[in-house]
Amino acid sequence: MAICTGAGVAIVTPFKENGEINFDKLGELIDFQVENGVLTGYVGNGGDVVIPADVTEIGSFAFHENKTINTLKIGYQVQMIGKYAFASCTNLTSVKICGVKAIADCAFQFSRITRVEIEEGVETIGANAFGYLSPRGAEVVIPASVLSIGKDAFYSNFNTTTLYVKAGSYAETYAKENNIP
């Protein structure tokens, strides 16, 4: 990492490719607070957010009450989403989760998500992880790889969450036992 200074200005240039600064990588460094692979905070402008490739875990409360993110994509490198990581993100409407192994309790609770797509690889969804999603209705796609779903994981007083599950999967059993369409 090089630090260039002049006239009282400091420019951090941690990412150079062919002698040029890669400003996309520099933006990631500024927007995402990452310590040893754990994303602990976000200070970016929001909108469509893609979790950086060097993140292996999203820490508890990392985006809690963030009002700027609208869509979210979590890549295959992330193994765990911590408690309350995206709770109360009231402008978050769409989430795609690829390959995460575990989603902790209350991870997305009280967000206003209308669509969640969880790809194969997720094994555990914690209690109230997707509780109280959008009152307009929410669709959640759950893969057959899910083997454990915590109490009230999709609880809503609006009764508007619909689960899309594979026939014969644990998620189908969970949906039937909890009267979720």
Side-chain angles (χ1 to χ4, degrees), residues 120-142:
E120 287 292 331
V122 174
E123 297 173 357
T124 303
I125 298 173
N128 223 334
F130 295 96
Y132 298 100
L133 296 181
S134 176
R136 297 181 309 271
E139 298 178 335
V140 182
V141 178
I142 303 175

Side-chain angles (χ1 to χ4, degrees), residues 37-39 51 55-60 62-63 74 78 80-82 85-86:
V38 179
L39 195 156
I51 301 301
V55 173
T56 57
E57 179 179 334
I58 299 171
S60 297
F63 287 78
I74 301 171
V78 176
M80 172 69 176
I81 300 172
F86 298 94

Side-chain angles (χ1 to χ4, degrees), residues 24-105:
D24 290 333
K25 293 289 185 187
L26 184 59
E28 281 183 12
L29 179 70
I30 294 167
D31 291 349
F32 298 92
Q33 299 166 349
V34 180
E35 298 173 19
N36 299 318
V38 179
L39 195 156
T40 59
Y42 176 76
V43 294
N45 293 328
D48 301 329
V49 174
V50 178
I51 301 301
D54 61 337
V55 173
T56 57
E57 179 179 334
I58 299 171
S60 297
F61 296 94
F63 287 78
H64 184 253
E65 294 185 348
N66 182 296
K67 307 295 186 232
T68 65
I69 60 173
N70 303 113
T71 66
L72 174 67
K73 182 174 182 197
I74 301 171
Y76 290 97
Q77 76 284 359
V78 176
Q79 297 297 302
M80 172 69 176
I81 300 172
K83 288 183 177 184
Y84 302 97
F86 298 94
S88 300
C89 291
T90 54
N91 289 315
L92 181 58
T93 59
S94 177
V95 176
K96 184 170 186 176
I97 300 171
C98 306
V100 170
K101 294 289 182 215
I103 301 169
D105 297 351

